[in-house]
Amino acid sequence: MSSILIVEDHAIFGKALVRLLTEKAHIDVIGVIGSGEEALEKISGLDIDLVLVDVSLPRMTGIQLVGVISEKFPHVRCLMISGHMTPFYVQRALEAGARGYILKDDIDGVLEGIPSVLSGEIYVSKALRE
């Protein structure tokens, strides 16, 4: 079973993601962290396969966080989740090292994207591919 860490500053959305992933995808969610700085403190002590990162975080953006994770923890895959639909954010996230970009309202994308990224593929929500 894969284990993931969620970095999301909106508590209700973070809890909804945990429930979705544990009930529908049988993924072990280690926790929900509200900031990039806190995530960096925790990652080194955790055995995780993937970090699901919100693009919009306080202080350090999710894209900045992915850049640091990719540099310091190259074995940990990162997948962005966001409400931003502009190609600019997708491109910046992938350039920073993210292995995919999922829209927050794309439940099927969340359920498809995580296993896809864990298997080594790059995943982008269907609405952004069209």
Side-chain angles (χ1 to χ4, degrees):
M1 179 184 284
S2 299
S3 60
I4 72 166
L5 177 68
I6 298 171
V7 184
E8 167 62 59
D9 62 323
H10 291 95
I12 291 172
F13 187 75
K15 287 179 182 180
L17 275 173
V18 170
R19 186 169 180 185
L20 174 70
L21 295 175
T22 55
E23 291 180 7
K24 300 283 186 194
H26 309 290
I27 292 175
D28 180 26
V29 179
I30 291 176
V32 179
I33 293 178
S35 74
E37 295 84 359
E38 186 182 353
L40 290 173
E41 288 176 18
K42 302 263 185 189
I43 287 174
S44 62
L46 298 173
D47 181 24
I48 56 173
D49 301 302
L50 182 137
V51 182
L52 186 61
V53 182
D54 183 13
V55 169
S56 300
L57 295 170
R59 295 176 304 281
M60 174 187 284
T61 70
I63 293 171
Q64 291 170 323
L65 174 61
V66 167
V68 175
I69 292 171
S70 297
E71 184 181 309
K72 290 188 174 187
F73 310 99
H75 63 284
V76 177
R77 293 191 169 105
C78 295
L79 178 59
M80 304 303 298
I81 188 160
S82 178
H84 298 289
M85 285 190 67
T86 57
F88 171 79
Y89 285 101
V90 179
Q91 181 180 354
R92 293 272 323 275
L94 296 175
E95 287 172 354
R99 305 294 297 161
Y101 192 102
I102 300 172
L103 295 172
K104 285 188 172 182
D105 64 354
D106 184 5
I107 293 172
D108 290 337
V110 173
L111 296 174
E112 293 169 8
I114 290 172
S116 181
V117 167
L118 286 169
S119 71
E121 299 172 29
I122 292 177
Y123 185 90
V124 175
S125 280
K126 185 178 178 183
L128 295 166
R129 288 182 267 151
E130 296 176 342

